[in-house]
Amino acid sequence: MHLSKFLLLFVSIHLPWETIASPQQRLLYTLSYGASRGVTSQESLTQPQRDAISRERADAVKETFKFAWDGYQNYCFGEDELLPVTNTCGHSRNGWGATAIDALSTALVMQIEPVVDDILDFIPTVDFTRTEDAVSLFETTIRYLAGLLSAYDLLRGPLANLASNASAVEEILVQAKSLADTLKYAFDTPSGVPYNNLLLSGKTNDGATSNGLATTGSLVLEWQRLSDITGDPEYGQLAQKAESYLLNPLPSSAEPFPGLVGSNIDIATGKFTNSNGGWNGGDDSFYEYLIKMYVYDSSRYSHYRDRWILAANSTMEYLASHPASRSDLTFLASFENTSFVNSSQHLTCFDGGNFLLGGEVLKRQDYIDFGLALVDGCHATYESTATSIGPEIFSWNTTSIDEAQQEFFDKSGFYIINGVYQLRPEVIESYYYAFRITGDSIYQDWAWDAFVAINATTRTSSGFTSISDVNTPGGGHKYNNQESFFFAEVLKYSYLIQAPDAPWQTNHNGVNEYIYNTEAHPLRVAGRPI
């Protein structure tokens, strides 16, 4: 069988590897595709051989995107998501077609023109002013607004050849502006710190008195990009005003370590209400965006860089943690005031990629080395489980190990608190940055291993679904949910790490012409590429 057909057969059939290939075929696969736990790796191959393997893998990921897209299009096109166990539709993101808009930038970088055309035809039909459900300012910004702006940047730039209808491209920007105009009343508070949960009818909110660090601090990239494209400064000014409280935190007790701040901000005053935090979910993308705003425009946002450096240095000094049973691994603890909590999350595993990006643009080898150590730690959470997929929450706190997990902890360096896998991208995301910055093909192998494991464990007849237990063969129960970020992030990073260099790739010719938001939508940088 031709290798490419054999590869696509493998990733397209939800059966154990041993049942669909002979020993000879499995050996051929291992030698040809460099599975990291197999007979050999790409390091033993010539560059042309490695390039051929990467092309085959990229094509396989592209075919997987087409398979999942077909399921969504057949059953739920225009709805927020496919529920891929029952083949019914979900409406978790206000009924505005989250999967379609979140998938667009991935379809673009994969250059799947029919999918791009379908989504471009759909975008003008969305009425962003109407919904029956509460709207998350954060989720709507990172998925919808960023998805629209990314598509606009790509179609007005290096992928203009995919825009057969120029008016459809301009309609993207019209809709992005409509969406932001609908949402911007969120910032109309005494401090300028926005409400996150909005009720569009009557322009009200859920009455919250505080907002989170990530939900407040992960708006600036998208809203500033909209200002820079449209020439209307209001959007960026709104997000920058909210961000100003995070860059200059009060009271001083909210910053227990330099650059590391609490998790909640009072909407009325802009002051922090606690001093607990870290790089876990709820805090994560605030730190992520500090260095990314500097990459976006280094001349305007050097103060973001300075705050990231403070946070990065404190993270290396205070939060870096090595499990008692595996001192070779590095994880990040969180903090409660000046005490530490030795647990982490799949969400946190973007951290290695963020340190790598910071190290590359700042020319700091210490940040790169630390980022690679974090990548190794998160890789360990994947290679240790029965499914080769990492858990939602894990710990290395030796004072609370369940006896049933002691042996697992002794071997793996962590134990599982929550074994769910929700189609999250963060580990593959960090592999992507590790490969783009070091050029080491081992990270392509690790990303491929993760992609194969996700395909084998989470696939249904029409798409991919969350699973209940990564440490049970087969993944346990299949939940009936396919998040839009599976298209935006998991499949994009799995593809880009294997795909040829291109202007939208990180570290393209030594600089970043695009910067990826926290939903993996590439936005064109406004300043000189660094």
Side-chain angles (χ1 to χ4, degrees):
M1 182 181 292
H2 188 272
L3 277 177
S4 62
K5 293 181 180 178
F6 178 64
L7 175 58
L8 294 181
L9 174 66
F10 169 55
V11 299
S12 298
I13 297 179
H14 185 194
L15 290 172
W17 172 232
E18 291 78 6
T19 70
I20 62 174
S22 67
Q24 182 180 6
Q25 288 172 322
R26 295 199 296 273
L27 178 59
L28 182 60
Y29 171 83
T30 302
L31 291 171
S32 299
Y33 292 92
S36 61
R37 292 186 295 277
V39 176
T40 188
S41 76
Q42 288 200 56
E43 293 176 359
S44 63
L45 304 176
T46 66
Q47 189 61 50
Q49 288 174 318
R50 286 197 294 269
D51 290 344
I53 290 166
S54 295
R55 286 194 299 270
E56 294 281 358
R57 289 173 170 177
D59 287 345
V61 178
K62 189 173 177 178
E63 289 300 317
T64 300
F65 176 96
K66 291 178 180 177
F67 162 76
W69 177 262
D70 286 346
Y72 168 72
Q73 189 170 50
N74 289 340
Y75 294 105
C76 294
F77 183 73
E79 307 290 347
D80 287 338
E81 61 266 321
L82 169 69
L83 308 181
V85 175
T86 58
N87 292 331
T88 53
C89 306
H91 306 93
S92 68
R93 296 296 160 205
N94 305 104
W96 294 330
T99 291
I101 294 175
D102 231 2
L104 179 53
S105 65
T106 304
L108 281 164
V109 299
M110 291 180 175
Q111 301 185 56
I112 308 175
E113 192 166 355
V115 175
V116 171
D117 286 341
D118 286 344
I119 300 173
L120 290 181
D121 288 342
F122 166 72
I123 287 172
T125 71
V126 181
D127 184 354
F128 286 117
T129 69
R130 299 176 63 85
T131 181
E132 297 178 359
D133 303 314
V135 177
S136 166
L137 177 64
F138 167 72
E139 293 288 354
T140 305
T141 293
I142 68 171
R143 301 194 199 208
Y144 284 112
L145 184 59
L148 293 168
L149 295 174
S150 176
Y152 185 80
D153 276 341
L154 291 169
L155 287 166
R156 293 270 295 181
L159 293 173
N161 61 298
L162 295 179
S164 56
N165 182 350
S167 64
V169 178
E170 292 308 311
E171 190 64 30
I172 296 173
L173 185 57
V174 170
Q175 286 289 67
K177 190 174 183 303
S178 171
L179 177 57
D181 287 341
T182 298
L183 300 176
K184 67 185 180 182
Y185 80 88
F187 296 92
D188 187 13
T189 67
S191 67
V193 172
Y195 291 99
N196 185 59
N197 299 313
L198 309 178
L199 307 173
L200 298 189
S201 59
K203 291 189 175 182
T204 58
N205 55 72
D206 66 348
T209 59
S210 66
N211 201 348
L213 182 64
T215 48
T216 303
S218 310
L219 308 171
V220 286
L221 179 58
E222 297 86 352
W223 285 69
Q224 188 60 54
R225 184 63 191 146
L226 181 59
S227 277
D228 290 341
I229 292 173
T230 63
D232 183 344
E234 180 186 19
Y235 306 110
Q237 288 171 352
L238 290 170
Q240 297 287 348
K241 174 65 173 177
E243 188 84 11
S244 68
Y245 296 98
L246 313 184
L247 298 175
N248 303 280
L250 291 174
S252 60
S253 60
E255 190 176 2
F257 309 100
L260 297 175
V261 296
S263 298
N264 290 296
I265 305 96
D266 186 276
I267 290 173
T269 66
K271 294 182 179 181
F272 281 82
T273 63
N274 69 357
S275 54
N276 304 335
W279 292 67
N280 292 340
D283 303 322
D284 44 6
S285 48
F286 162 69
Y287 298 106
E288 176 187 356
Y289 274 25
L290 292 177
I291 194 64
K292 288 186 173 182
M293 285 301 291
Y294 177 67
V295 176
Y296 178 70
D297 192 337
S298 59
S299 64
R300 279 189 285 174
Y301 301 116
S302 60
H303 56 304
Y304 281 75
R305 172 204 61 197
D306 296 343
R307 289 297 297 183
W308 186 86
I309 289 173
L310 280 177
N313 290 345
S314 290
T315 297
M316 291 192 296
E317 182 173 355
Y318 299 109
L319 302 188
S321 182
H322 309 286
S325 62
R326 287 284 304 275
S327 60
D328 57 308
L329 299 181
T330 302
F331 298 131
L332 292 187
S334 54
F335 58 89
E336 295 179 354
N337 298 308
T338 55
S339 299
F340 302 106
V341 179
N342 287 340
S343 65
S344 191
Q345 303 170 355
H346 196 293
L347 284 163
T348 315
C349 281
F350 85 97
D351 52 8
N354 197 242
F355 268 86
L356 283 156
L357 176 65
E360 178 62 23
V361 299
L362 299 175
K363 307 306 177 189
R364 289 279 300 267
Q365 189 62 42
D366 55 340
Y367 294 153
I368 291 175
D369 292 341
F370 188 70
L372 292 175
L374 294 175
V375 172
D376 288 347
C378 288
H379 174 249
T381 69
Y382 267 55
E383 69 174 355
S384 299
T385 69
T387 61
S388 297
I389 302 172
E392 178 75 357
I393 303 174
F394 58 95
S395 177
W396 57 103
N397 180 358
T398 56
T399 65
S400 57
I401 304 174
D402 186 281
E403 183 177 349
Q405 293 205 62
Q406 183 67 55
E407 183 178 354
F408 182 88
F409 171 73
D410 291 341
K411 178 180 179 181
S412 304
F414 69 96
Y415 55 94
I416 296 171
I417 301 296
N418 183 338
V420 167
Y421 174 64
Q422 300 183 52
L423 303 179
R424 295 203 186 278
E426 291 80 16
V427 173
I428 300 175
E429 173 185 351
S430 283
Y431 294 162
Y432 171 71
Y433 283 95
F435 172 68
R436 292 298 304 178
I437 288 166
T438 70
D440 191 336
S441 60
I442 189 63
Y443 302 111
Q444 290 179 302
D445 293 341
W446 290 359
W448 178 249
D449 289 343
F451 168 74
V452 169
I454 292 166
N455 188 85
T457 310
T458 71
R459 191 180 181 109
T460 72
S461 63
S462 58
F464 296 83
T465 187
S466 302
I467 55 173
S468 65
D469 188 357
V470 297
N471 208 30
T472 295
H477 177 70
K478 282 184 166 60
Y479 297 124
N480 195 21
N481 185 43
Q482 180 177 260
E483 286 274 6
S484 67
F485 56 66
F486 178 73
F487 291 89
E489 301 186 76
V490 173
L491 293 178
K492 185 183 284 101
Y493 286 125
S494 295
Y495 173 78
L496 288 177
I497 195 172
Q498 312 292 350
D501 198 15
W504 52 83
Q505 290 270 29
T506 293
N507 202 29
H508 169 64
N509 291 332
V511 296
N512 296 279
E513 297 179 30
Y514 286 75
I515 188 70
Y516 287 76
N517 90 319
T518 196
E519 191 83 357
H521 293 302
L523 301 171
R524 185 189 289 274
V525 301
R528 177 182 59 84
I530 61 172

